[in-house]
């Protein structure tokens, strides 16, 4: 079951990273000109950071879980600011999906972290 959850996390992060890679290749570096520069830089950086999280989840699970949580917490926070305060996003559906995924990340990270630590415990009797 751990592998299925890791696959879902990696798949979603890969789709997010691929979306930002596409935007950078198709529209050029820092393609989100409609947003403030700091938001544009953050969204552009996700092209690399999302893929790094996928690699970490595969190679070093706990480091990948921490980076995934940092990505999703910051992504939901920044996208909420972009939608609700800056009004640079016209549709909240992506934000809603990211918030749902954040909840999945939090719940699964707690479970995967505990699962990994239990797997490392050796019974000595």
């Amino acid at each position: 079951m751990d592998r299925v959850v890791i696959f879902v996390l990696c798949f979603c992060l890969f789709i997010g990273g691929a979306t930002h890679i596409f935007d950078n290749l198709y529209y050029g570096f820092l393609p989100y000109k409609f947003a403030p520069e700091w938001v544009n830089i953050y969204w552009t950086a996700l092209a690399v950071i999302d893929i790094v999280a996928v690699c970490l989840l595969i190679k070093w699970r706990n480091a990948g879980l921490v980076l995934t949580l940092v990505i999703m917490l910051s992504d939901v926070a920044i996208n909420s600011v972009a939608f609700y305060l800056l009004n640079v996003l016209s549709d909240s559906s992506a934000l809603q999906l990211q918030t749902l995924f954040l909840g999945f990340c939090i719940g699964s990270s707690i479970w995967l972290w505990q699962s990994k630590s239990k797997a490392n415990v050796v019974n000595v009797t």
Side-chain angles (χ1 to χ4, degrees), residues 6-26:
I6 294 290
F7 174 80
V8 171
L9 292 170
C10 288
F11 179 78
C12 292
L13 286 165
F14 181 80
I15 294 300
T19 300
H20 292 288
I21 290 169
F22 172 81
D23 289 348
N24 280 279
L25 292 174
Y26 191 76

Side-chain angles (χ1 to χ4, degrees), residues 6-58:
I6 294 290
F7 174 80
V8 171
L9 292 170
C10 288
F11 179 78
C12 292
L13 286 165
F14 181 80
I15 294 300
T19 300
H20 292 288
I21 290 169
F22 172 81
D23 289 348
N24 280 279
L25 292 174
Y26 191 76
Y27 300 108
F29 186 66
L30 297 173
Y32 311 106
K33 309 263 188 263
F34 57 88
E37 187 174 3
W38 65 273
V39 175
N40 193 353
I41 291 169
Y42 175 79
W43 286 339
T44 300
L46 286 174
V48 174
I49 299 169
D50 284 351
I51 304 305
V52 169
V54 170
C55 294
L56 285 175
L57 281 167
I58 293 167

